[in-house]
Amino acid sequence: MQYWHKELETLPREKLEQLQLERLKKILKRVYQKVPHYRKKLQDAGINPSNIKSLDEIRNIPFTTKEDLFVDYPYGLLTVPIEKVIRLHTSSGTTGKPKAIFFSKKDIENSAELIARCLVMTGATKNDILQNSMTYGLFTGAFVMHYGAEKVGIFVIPAGPGNTERQINLMRDFGTTMLHMTPSYTLYVASVIYDKGIDPKKELKLKRAYLGAEPYSEETRKKIENMLGIDIYNCYGLTEMNGPGVGFECIYKDGLHIWEDNFLMEVINPETGKPVNDGEIGELVLTTLNREAMPLIRYRTRDLTRIISEPCKCGRTHRRISRILGRSDDMFIVKGVNIFPQQIEQVLMGINGVAQNYQIVLDSYDEMIVRVEIDREIFDGKIEKLVRLKDEIIDKIRSATMVKPKVELLEPGTLPISEGKAKRVIDKRTI
Ligand code: ADP
Ligand code: ZN
């Protein structure tokens, strides 16, 4: 099968690590020679790239943080002349000024190659039709997936996000078999499909969906899988590391494989910067091993996860990470307790009667208000009657987070719909 590079994907660990070391040395030499900011960092730490003998020595190299991307902005981290750059992508700016990442021709080809591997890993073939409903533009999500799918020979419908009616018509008219969307938008699209009385299992040809760009729980995956009768694969990436396709699930859907010939991964304690014990949760740190225009060394993603070292049933030797818990900066504190939005999502999506949309409002340090839309099926115009449902939500959130929330049940369609990354937390305390 094309793009199932069996030998590379199942390379014995020892050989894979040898390949990583060779690539690491090469990339360190390049940044040392070409990027004054990195040269200074390496010199200050007393590191000479030629002397590196083992992968562990990477721990002596200082981290690259988001702030480093703004030193000598915008072109200061390039290792190639600007004539070799063929594309700019920026992050979506969820947390501040967007980060700018530059791609050479080789980088574009390589990012497509990695996505091609990912798609094939889930069973996609050139007979599939992909409706790519991420934003085309500065955001990496749509373009990188598009190029990767084309590489496999997949027929791509560049739908972009939004206009849900049109999305559903595209699926129906052209026989879409695969979707690429954010999980929050997919939940919404699935609910509209239902409201229109369309039976997705009979009237649509959907087989699988690649959902990513924001954290979501196993409960959300199951909810959408059941609604649409499809397989959902978690797809993780960030602009700084090419965009989607950094971590991707295989057919076993048990953690996301990281292509370790391209990325060197570490998980650290975000407070101390030291590696966590094997399998413990911490912040994912990635080094690009195969990037030409703008290599990044020990980049702190701020995403929280853990490494799964046990071999995967699919036979690939590239290790997996668990689904992303959230970003270290997504966490909020109420009554002195640390809470991730995903904990709330996990509870809500497991409760019958809760629809796809919710919002967390924080206007004091002592209270968390959770606003929840309820399913059309149980809504008969009298929300105040749904006491049992409300109590169930309060109880389950309290036991998941240790904080008793104030819950507001809402009519379906009350909250704003997100077509891209959802904004679930309204923190009025920091505005
Ligand atoms: P921004 O940092 O502005 O959101 P990006 O658009 O590059 O920029 O988004 C990358 C971030 O999106 C990741 O660092 C991560 O926090 C989140 N993300 C992407 N895919 C997933 C996923 N499958 N699960 C959880 N979070 C994800
Ligand atoms: Zn696997």
Side-chain angles (χ1 to χ4, degrees), residues 386-427:
L386 300 170
V387 182
R388 271 232 304 269
L389 177 63
K390 192 168 167 173
D391 286 346
E392 182 183 355
I393 297 173
I394 294 175
D395 278 355
K396 289 191 170 159
I397 293 180
R398 181 173 45 194
S399 59
T401 64
M402 317 288 275
V403 171
K404 183 178 174 188
K406 184 174 163 199
V407 168
E408 289 175 14
L409 298 184
L410 306 171
E411 281 180 37
T414 315
L415 294 170
I417 298 151
S418 78
E419 294 165 354
K421 291 184 194 242
K423 184 159 174 47
R424 299 291 195 194
V425 182
I426 312 292
D427 195 341

Side-chain angles (χ1 to χ4, degrees), residues 113-317:
E113 157 75 29
L114 295 183
I115 285 280
R117 279 193 212 171
C118 294
L119 295 174
V120 168
M121 176 161 71
T122 64
T125 70
K126 63 181 172 43
N127 300 327
D128 277 301
I129 302 179
L130 173 74
Q131 190 160 322
N132 194 9
S133 308
M134 292 286 193
T135 309
Y136 281 82
L138 284 167
F139 181 55
T140 48
F143 273 108
V144 172
M145 177 61 81
H146 186 119
Y147 280 50
E150 280 190 351
K151 235 179 192 320
V152 182
I154 291 166
F155 162 7
V156 184
I157 303 176
N163 198 340
T164 307
E165 191 101 357
R166 192 186 60 188
Q167 298 282 356
I168 297 169
N169 290 339
L170 287 170
M171 289 177 211
R172 264 215 288 221
D173 292 354
F174 301 104
T176 302
T177 63
M178 317 201 291
L179 300 172
H180 180 215
M181 286 183 180
T182 59
S184 49
Y185 188 50
T186 318
L187 272 167
Y188 177 70
V189 172
S191 72
V192 176
I193 288 176
Y194 266 76
D195 291 348
K196 284 183 167 300
I198 299 170
D199 179 349
K201 291 163 205 166
K202 292 208 181 100
E203 295 173 60
L204 302 177
K205 299 222 167 76
L206 295 176
K207 284 192 286 201
R208 47 185 94 84
Y210 303 108
L211 306 189
E214 62 188 7
Y216 60 112
S217 62
E218 203 51 47
E219 281 65 21
T220 297
R221 183 216 303 263
K222 291 211 180 88
K223 183 163 178 155
I224 308 173
E225 283 190 335
N226 291 336
M227 282 175 95
L228 296 179
I230 58 173
D231 282 305
I232 287 179
Y233 296 97
N234 196 346
C235 160
Y236 163 73
L238 61 160
T239 313
E240 298 89 309
M241 296 287 139
N242 298 348
V246 175
F248 221 89
E249 285 178 331
C250 65
I251 52 164
Y252 293 100
K253 300 182 195 166
D254 185 17
L256 297 88
H257 286 281
I258 300 274
W259 298 120
E260 292 188 87
D261 56 328
N262 274 261
F263 301 103
L264 186 67
M265 63 167 160
E266 301 168 75
V267 173
I268 60 156
N269 175 323
E271 259 126 57
T272 62
K274 298 270 179 294
V276 297
N277 293 329
D278 221 18
E280 261 177 36
I281 290 178
E283 177 180 340
L284 182 66
V285 172
L286 294 170
T287 297
T288 62
L289 292 176
N290 201 17
R291 198 193 255 161
E292 186 176 51
M294 192 172 170
L296 293 176
I297 312 297
R298 298 196 89 202
Y299 184 72
R300 290 189 62 158
T301 65
R302 290 179 299 160
D303 290 325
L304 301 174
T305 184
R306 64 184 182 85
I307 294 181
I308 305 171
S309 298
E310 297 80 51
C312 183
K313 283 191 238 145
C314 72
R316 288 176 181 82
T317 48

